[in-house]
Amino acid sequence: MGFHMQILIALLLGIKRNWHIFAGLILGIVCGILFPQDKFPFAHQIFSFVGQIFINAIQMVVIPLVISAIVIGISSIGDNKQLAKFGKKMILYYAIITVAAVTIGALLGTWLQPGIQAREFISPDVAQELSGVVAGMINDQHSHLAQIFLNLIPKNPFYSLSLGDMVPIIIFVLIFSVALSKIGEINRPIVSFFESVFAATMKVTDWIMYLAAPGIFGLVASSVSSFGVQIFHGVGKYFLVIFIGIMLQFVVVYPLMLKTFSKISVIKLYSAVTEAAMVAFGTASSSATLPLTITCCEKRGISSKICSFVLPLGATLNMDGSAMVQTIAVLFLTQAYGISLDPMTIIQIALLAMVASSTCAGIPGAGLITIALVLNGIGLTPEQMVTGFSFLFALDRLTDMLRTTANVVSDTVVAAIIADGANEINYDLFNSDEFEKDLV
Ligand code: ASP
């Protein structure tokens, strides 16, 4: 091997894993544009195969990690008062972040009117091929809000486990863990068992992260190559509004939250969770990213007590990015169809989006399905808007990548604030520049 080649390899191995993943992400976008699926179907297959390997591997650890994290977290919090205090704070901060998200979404959507531009594209035959898919989605959505909440209580936790249904699993494990913390010393064998499970799954997560760069490359390349650049005609503004909204969360809302409620540096937090953010972007799934979200926060000194309580719940319940996208999407649809809305209806849309987003699973595309819930809430059906809906559908993966990144990072913002308030953070580790050395 030539000397230059050796230097290049040494450099590539030497740079931090964050940069590997970032390079995978950029290369994925470039290759996705260069090899559109309709012209290069084989390349698309390879991209998605590579991406799927990573997704499968990371999903493999989600359930054991979430269960063990919650058991350890709650049994280590122990006393009820502290648990209730953390719980209340968590709900309050998640609510503030989501209210900010839907407010930004409603303001931007009303001000920039992304739907107007799409009006000329609303012709009945555009959506012909997609109408079947949309109809299927609406069918899935027919269970009402009450049913959705009922489904959260698992009749058989092992059945939910086998389906990988995160919300019922988390609810069962929460109840089980509180019970464990109430039965005294007798809980030791179970808690020790889950401590071992947790440590081992964290190790496996570390190994899986070696696949992150090619995995993110494959996932991003396959989504970009499947939607193609032409998608931006007609809905470019819709995407832009979402992009601006999500950016505002990152540069205004999260920093403000951290500044108001803690003494955590936003830059340090962002640098700590970069890997999780990039994996969220690539996978478009908060649940699949969860092992990494926990790893990033714990490695940077946020106590496992807080991480294991706040992050799994956040990954399923706190979806500020999704709530914002749902608000903008419904405004987009109503504008595209020339339906004018009074301010009260816009507020209603925002409120419904908050509820709909928190019922949505942390998996790709879940937020699009729950848009139907928001539309129903204001008396419209997706059937009436099938053409407009097809735009949302076509663009969904792209907006999903953005909203999932916000969903995940906002979880870490709340975890950091609660950890700061409870003195459950190792500031030396958190503020150190050295910590990344062990990441490669
Ligand atoms: N994909 C998002 C997530 O996992 C949910 C959504 O579709 O909005 O957080």
Side-chain angles (χ1 to χ4, degrees):
M1 192 187 303
F3 186 57
H4 287 104
M5 201 58 188
Q6 285 176 18
I7 293 181
L8 186 67
I9 291 177
L11 277 175
L12 285 177
L13 290 175
I15 55 175
K16 295 185 174 86
R17 196 167 64 195
N18 280 350
W19 290 104
H20 292 180
I21 302 177
F22 187 65
L25 207 146
I26 300 295
L27 207 66
I29 296 178
V30 174
C31 287
I33 294 173
L34 291 179
F35 300 101
Q37 185 183 8
D38 45 356
K39 294 209 189 83
F40 301 92
F42 188 61
H44 178 264
Q45 272 173 12
I46 294 182
F47 297 150
S48 43
F49 180 74
V50 173
Q52 206 56 46
I53 293 179
F54 175 62
I55 289 252
N56 286 6
I58 193 120
Q59 278 182 335
M60 173 174 83
V61 287
V62 170
I63 291 183
L65 189 71
V66 168
I67 296 179
S68 53
I70 298 180
V71 171
I72 301 171
I74 296 203
S75 48
S76 64
I77 296 175
D79 93 275
N80 264 357
K81 273 203 204 116
Q82 207 181 17
L83 195 64
K85 202 171 107 200
F86 287 159
K88 274 189 215 147
K89 278 191 172 179
M90 182 185 74
I91 292 171
L92 174 74
Y93 296 137
Y94 281 152
I96 297 178
I97 281 189
T98 312
V99 169
V102 293
T103 310
I104 291 175
L107 291 176
L108 285 178
T110 319
W111 176 40
L112 296 172
Q113 309 243 334
I116 304 278
Q117 196 192 10
R119 252 180 219 173
E120 54 183 301
F121 295 91
I122 305 287
S123 79
D125 31 286
V126 183
Q128 208 58 42
E129 40 186 306
L130 271 164
S131 55
V133 189
V134 176
M137 268 171 41
I138 296 157
N139 260 338
D140 290 345
Q141 185 57 35
H142 269 158
S143 46
H144 295 301
L145 209 53
Q147 191 57 42
I148 292 173
F149 280 109
L150 263 186
N151 289 346
L152 302 184
I153 304 166
K155 272 191 259 178
N156 176 353
F158 294 101
Y159 183 61
S160 305
L161 273 179
S162 69
L163 294 180
D165 242 346
M166 289 315 287
V167 183
I169 294 176
I170 286 178
I171 289 178
F172 171 73
V173 180
L174 273 176
I175 298 170
F176 182 76
S177 309
V178 173
L180 269 180
S181 70
K182 299 258 140 248
I183 57 177
E185 274 307 292
I186 201 173
N187 71 8
R188 262 336 287 167
I190 300 262
V191 176
S192 315
F193 168 78
F194 281 112
E195 277 165 359
S196 310
V197 172
F198 183 73
T201 34
M202 288 284 267
K203 191 88 223 122
V204 178
T205 309
D206 249 5
W207 293 335
I208 294 170
M209 283 313 289
Y210 285 105
L211 300 175
I216 296 299
F217 161 78
L219 288 168
V220 173
S222 76
S223 9
V224 175
S225 94
S226 68
F227 53 64
V229 186
Q230 66 281 6
I231 189 139
F232 289 103
H233 298 305
V235 281
K237 198 165 173 194
Y238 167 68
F239 179 72
L240 193 71
V241 171
I242 290 178
F243 183 79
I244 297 173
I246 299 284
M247 285 305 123
L248 285 176
Q249 287 291 94
F250 279 97
V251 297
V252 180
V253 177
Y254 304 157
L256 261 181
M257 289 282 296
L258 286 166
K259 200 157 182 58
T260 316
F261 298 111
S262 75
K263 44 186 184 305
I264 302 270
S265 141
V266 64
I267 302 287
K268 293 281 179 199
L269 181 70
Y270 285 177
S271 89
V273 301
T274 313
E275 275 187 305
M278 286 192 287
V279 170
F281 184 82
T283 59
S285 166
S286 318
S287 293
T289 312
L290 185 57
L292 198 64
T293 321
I294 297 179
T295 313
C296 285
C297 289
E298 288 204 355
K299 276 202 170 156
R300 201 57 187 265
I302 299 179
S303 82
S304 66
K305 205 191 235 186
I306 301 294
C307 288
S308 49
F309 178 57
V310 176
L311 296 174
L313 284 173
T316 43
L317 299 176
N318 171 48
M319 304 270 177
D320 59 325
S322 304
M324 176 190 286
V325 171
Q326 287 171 354
T327 309
I328 298 174
V330 174
L331 291 177
F332 167 86
L333 285 175
T334 51
Q335 288 156 5
Y337 283 88
I339 302 168
S340 60
L341 301 172
D342 55 66
M344 272 323 282
T345 317
I346 296 178
I347 293 175
Q348 196 186 341
I349 291 175
L351 290 175
L352 282 165
M354 284 182 69
V355 178
S357 70
S358 65
T359 65
C360 111
I363 53 172
L368 183 70
I369 300 172
T370 46
I371 286 179
L373 203 102
V374 185
L375 286 175
N376 284 343
I378 56 166
L380 297 166
T381 63
E383 285 101 329
Q384 291 170 314
M385 307 188 142
V386 75
T387 316
F389 218 80
S390 72
F391 282 125
L392 304 185
F393 201 85
L395 209 65
D396 190 58
R397 179 68 187 202
L398 201 56
T399 68
D400 202 359
M401 289 157 126
L402 288 176
R403 64 186 188 243
T404 307
T405 312
N407 291 345
V408 166
V409 173
S410 62
D411 296 342
T412 67
V413 168
V414 172
I417 294 176
I418 296 181
D420 180 71
N423 233 342
E424 287 286 344
I425 184 163
N426 177 340
Y427 289 99
D428 293 338
L429 203 58
F430 192 81
N431 294 322
S432 138
D433 295 324
E434 295 296 300
F435 82 101
E436 281 179 341
K437 279 187 181 153
D438 66 319
L439 278 180
V440 180

